[in-house]
Amino acid sequence: ENAAYQAEFDAKVDAGGFIEAKDWMPEAYRKTLIRQISQHAHSEIVGMLPEGNWISRAPSLKRKAILLAKVQDEGGHGLYLYAAAETLGVSRDELMEALHSRRAKYSSIFNYPTLNWADVGVIGWLVDGAAIMNQIPLCKCSYGPYARAMIRVCKEESFHQRQGYDLLLTMMRGTPEQQEMVQDAVNRWWWPSIMMFGPHDKDSVHTDSARWGIKRISNDDLRQKFVDATVKQAEVLGVTLPDPELKWNAERGHYDFGAIDWEEFWNVVNGHGQCNVDRLAERVQAWEDGAWVREAALAHAEKQAAREQA
Ligand code: FAQ
């Protein structure tokens, strides 16, 4: 019986169709989706922290309003994605427990500190830029609830990317000090941003993910697309990307770039980056501080249910 279900599943995936929550699916497919979607959700939620750090110090009311909206959007993406993961039969509590006990990962990028105001712009430009590059193909991934969530998320990320670029353009038209802040931020965020795409394809262990139509484009191909798109944007902005080996390769039709420091990448992924301890501590604290809200909501729901029965 399973073989028939499997054949139906394979045919649907091969034809570019969507698998829905109540459809039969291989256990390994369910597992890798829960892993990826929940880690994506955790990244959105932890990703609120580096920029959240600047809300109270934004230089104008306009920039503060933009930043507030952006950080709220990230919170919304996280909740969307937790809900998508829950359709696969895992509970919100289990997902949170996995994050808080460090069993689940979140993106390496959010373990770097935001040291100056230009960091907010560079996160929008490079980090949201990389996120969009990675998420556009996910709009067509084989799992319907994840694919549909990605459509709205990508639209919002596109606003995030533009606000970052706009912020940087403004600073680059400003004083020499402001220009230096932008270059300093670019120097610190460039390499971590291209690490976001994950290990080289040969070291990417979740190869089934491509076969099942979850990842439509590989880590290295997405990274290359991102580098190719970003070089021209850096020129317009008037900043230098901190890679002396970055140059156009006419034969390949792509930019070549220098070697990634994988030791740094795995160090950060495995909990030893500059901010890992603080980020997680903040999330755990927020969860504990919010306990009374969860209790109140549950008590309210119980009361409502009892009233309906009476
Ligand atoms: N950081 O076999 P692969 C955002 C792990 S955007 C940490 O290649 P896979 C928006 C990987 O999990 C950021 N860990 O894995 C925003 C696996 O470990 P595991 C979030 C990483 O899954 C912007 C191991 O290495 N976006 O939040 C990283 O096939 C601004 C082996 O790797 C997404 O999550 C990394 N960078 O490919 C918010 C997108 N890379 O799970 C606020 C969806 C790899 O076995 C402000 N996710 N690892 O323990 C994906 O597309 C994929 O999961 C990849 C990794 C491409 C990230």
Side-chain angles (χ1 to χ4, degrees), residues 18-48:
F18 290 122
I19 304 299
E20 296 300 336
K22 286 183 178 160
D23 292 346
W24 182 90
M25 61 185 82
E27 260 325 288
Y29 176 81
R30 184 189 300 278
K31 231 174 116 186
T32 207
L33 274 173
I34 292 175
R35 179 188 63 80
Q36 177 168 328
I37 299 173
S38 66
Q39 294 189 162
H40 193 165
H42 299 326
S43 304
E44 300 279 359
I45 299 294
V46 177
M48 297 169 79

Side-chain angles (χ1 to χ4, degrees), residues 47-221:
M48 297 169 79
L49 298 172
E51 288 167 289
N53 186 33
W54 281 90
I55 291 174
S56 60
R57 285 175 284 163
S60 70
L61 180 61
K62 181 180 132 191
R63 292 288 174 199
K64 190 186 180 107
I66 294 171
L67 185 57
L68 256 178
K70 180 191 192 285
V71 173
Q72 282 182 347
D73 283 352
E74 311 295 1
H77 298 172
L79 298 181
Y80 238 56
L81 287 164
Y82 284 130
E86 283 175 292
T87 65
L88 292 155
V90 64
S91 74
R92 185 79 61 102
D93 283 352
E94 285 172 87
L95 297 176
M96 299 320 292
E97 209 282 315
L99 173 67
H100 297 159
S101 64
R102 285 189 46 192
R103 272 186 297 114
K105 295 188 168 76
Y106 59 85
S107 182
S108 50
I109 193 74
F110 302 117
N111 293 304
Y112 292 85
T114 39
L115 302 180
N116 78 47
W117 172 250
D119 288 32
V120 169
V122 169
I123 289 179
W125 174 37
L126 298 179
V127 176
D128 286 278
I132 297 169
M133 202 53 98
N134 162 277
Q135 285 166 192
I136 292 283
L138 290 175
C139 296
K140 295 215 173 81
C141 87
S142 59
Y143 189 56
Y146 191 26
R148 289 189 290 271
M150 279 300 110
I151 293 172
R152 171 164 176 178
V153 168
C154 282
K155 284 186 185 159
E156 294 181 351
E157 300 289 26
S158 160
F159 149 63
H160 299 167
Q161 203 263 357
R162 282 162 200 217
Q163 67 81 36
Y165 199 69
D166 174 73
L167 188 167
L168 297 176
L169 273 174
T170 306
M171 287 184 81
M172 290 304 285
R173 291 190 199 115
T175 62
E177 286 81 3
Q178 285 175 306
Q179 293 163 2
E180 272 165 36
M181 281 165 77
V182 174
Q183 185 61 58
D184 171 60
V186 171
N187 291 348
R188 284 181 288 106
W189 288 93
W190 172 248
W191 288 103
S193 297
I194 67 172
M195 289 176 191
M196 283 174 73
F197 294 94
H200 281 315
D201 294 349
K202 64 174 171 44
D203 303 315
S204 172
V205 292
H206 297 293
T207 43
D208 280 347
S209 179
R211 178 161 63 80
W212 285 323
I214 300 170
K215 270 162 59 165
R216 297 275 185 200
I217 307 183
S218 78
N219 297 4
D220 283 328
D221 288 351

